[in-house]
Amino acid sequence: MKIAIIGGTRGLGRWIAQYLKSKKFEIVITSRDSDFGTKIAREIGVEYCPDNKKAASQCRVVIIAVPIEHTEYVIREVAPSLKKGSLIMDVTSVKEMPSYLMQDLIKEGVDFLPTHPMFGPRIRSLEGQVVVLTPLQKNGWFKRVLDFLEDEKVRVLVTTPKKHDEMMSVVQVLTHFAYISIASTIEKLEVNVKESRKFASPIYNLMVDTISRIVAQNPYLAYSIQTQNQYANKARSAFIKTVKELEKDLDVKNQNKFVEAMSSAAKNLNDLEAALGRSDKAISALNQEIVILKKSIGKEVGLRHIYSGKVHIGILKSLEPDFLLLKTGQRNIMLKISNIEILDSKQMWNWKINNQDSREYDISAVFPNSSDSKVISSVLESLDGIIQVKILDTYQGPPINEGMISMTFRIKVLERTKIKEVEKLIKGFGAKIR
């Protein structure tokens, strides 16, 4: 199936293009900048088209992934070009405007499905992510998209455009506004955030990380989220009014009103125990990684960069608050702890098998006649560091003594030193190496 991503060169549009390509769809991306569009298409291995209308007319599915403020224009631009039986989607953070505009502009026989992926382009998989669908009618394409998302283990939420935008005025508008306000306040107070972390509890560090994640995003997108949602002003106004009320309570030292406001807010947040449990898990996960790294100093570790996917395997030399030093071969590399994940022993072994050169050695030995070659082969293969063991030959007869059997094994390893361990185990079976 051929899919057009209008605005598929940056951000979420590019992520969608790469992801759908990995699922074997034929992808076309568009961009206003032909040179840049051609460059990105070449990098991710998809087709580039400089004309939105042409791209839309050639594809079964058209996904609009442009900034919110340009969405209306693009819908109006491509809607007349859509062929019968096709589907048009958008992935913007507001849903009322694009939903009703697509409904009004598409031709008979064309379906539309307003969509909001609740994640950014930094994720590595759809599994566990939330995607909101706001269909005005559940057509045949709705079922196909729903099945695809559920097969990818996405958490799908189906609602109305109005309900979506009202919820986003809190989930996105209010929280982003509060986080950006806190970050700006810290800047105005001239606080050294790195130094403040030394004085902080884990929850402060987690909060700063969350705020950092928000303010590190595209500021133009953040501005659009604040201005394009028609319920945004209501949410911000309520927030500012509440802040002023709390400040007044503190200024006049009205303890009762402050305590009442905080207690009431806590009750409204509902299942506090579950919230505390989730935050405890997040803090524990962060601490556990540091504990593992501390115990691994001087040992071999496998580390994967969470964004590039590059794997580094070597001896962990030292650990600092933000960085670690890893010796790989003849060189030392410094890695930022927040950007890596630790591979477990199985993951590290599989990476070595797939990425490092292996060697094969043939070993022949004489065993008692009662020995089972398959059992011996299985035991040898279970040794740490052994990739594969094959039985090449079993033989009885001259010059092998009566009551004995010769066996030849082909041992596949990454390191020559492992052969010594194999020979030691073979001798442990009562065998004599030939």
Side-chain angles (χ1 to χ4, degrees), residues 256-269 272:
N256 290 338
K257 286 201 70 176
F258 182 87
V259 170
E260 180 184 344
M262 183 172 172
S263 300
S264 177
K267 289 178 183 177
N268 186 64
L269 287 174
L272 291 181

Side-chain angles (χ1 to χ4, degrees), residues 161-209:
K162 182 176 187 295
K163 182 71 171 179
H164 169 276
D165 288 0
E166 288 176 337
M167 284 298 177
M168 287 305 105
S169 72
V170 174
V171 173
Q172 283 190 322
V173 173
L174 176 60
T175 54
H176 289 195
F177 183 72
Y179 289 157
I180 294 167
S181 298
I182 293 172
S184 295
T185 302
I186 290 173
E187 181 188 20
K188 287 180 172 61
L189 290 172
E190 298 182 350
V191 172
N192 184 315
V193 176
K194 190 172 182 179
E195 185 178 3
S196 74
R197 289 179 183 270
K198 299 176 184 178
F199 295 82
S201 64
I203 200 66
Y204 171 82
N205 288 321
L206 192 60
M207 182 196 74
V208 171
D209 288 343

